Amino acid sequence: MTTLESVRDLARRAHAGQVDKMGRDYYTAHLEPIAERLAPLGPDAEMAGLLHDILEDTDVTVAELTDFGVPAHVIRAVVAVTKNDGEDYSAAIERAAADPLGRQVKLADNAQNLSGNAALAERDPQTAARLKQKYETARERLLAAVCDDPAR
C-alpha cells in the first residue's frame, strides 16, 4: 500500500503545469486545500482529495493508481467523483453522492470551489455567477445524500 506522502508526490507530478481558473498552481491552490479539508476524516480521505481530479485532468489511469498501491476504496471514491466525457454534471453529482467517501470528497471540492468564487467574480463575473449556481445546486444534492445515508 502507498503512503499519503507518495500520493502527494504523484498528484503534484501528474498535475504539474496545470493552473486553476485564477491562474494559480493547481496542486497548491486546489488539491492541497481539499486534502486539508478532508484531513479530519483520515489519510485515505486526504488521498482521495489529492487524487480527485487525476483521472479527469491527467493521463493517469485507474490501473496505474492500482499498481501504485492506492487503496481500492480510495480509487472507488476517485472514480465516483470523476466526470466522464459527455456526462451531464448532475449525473456525475448523483454518482458522487452514492459513494460515502466520494460524497465527502465532492463536498470538500465543492466548498473549495465556492470559497474562491468571490475572487473569480472580480475577474469574470458571468462565469462566477454560473459556477456559484452550479456548485450550490450540487451541494444541496450532496448534503441531502448525507442525510439519507443510514450509515452516517
Side-chain angles (χ1 to χ4, degrees), residues 98-112:
D99 183 272
L101 180 54
R103 181 172 53 238
Q104 293 302 319
V105 170
K106 197 63 184 172
L107 279 165
D109 179 40
N110 183 274
Q112 183 64 26

Side-chain angles (χ1 to χ4, degrees), residues 79-136:
V79 169
V81 301
T82 299
K83 187 173 178 295
N84 299 311
D85 289 338
E87 182 178 36
D88 180 67
Y89 184 70
S90 63
I93 293 300
E94 288 302 317
R95 189 178 57 259
D99 183 272
L101 180 54
R103 181 172 53 238
Q104 293 302 319
V105 170
K106 197 63 184 172
L107 279 165
D109 179 40
N110 183 274
Q112 183 64 26
N113 290 338
L114 282 167
S115 74
N117 196 266
L120 180 60
E122 291 177 17
R123 194 173 188 172
D124 185 348
Q126 288 181 325
T127 298
R130 179 182 56 79
L131 290 176
K132 184 175 188 233
Q133 178 62 46
K134 174 182 167 179
Y135 297 144
E136 287 176 345

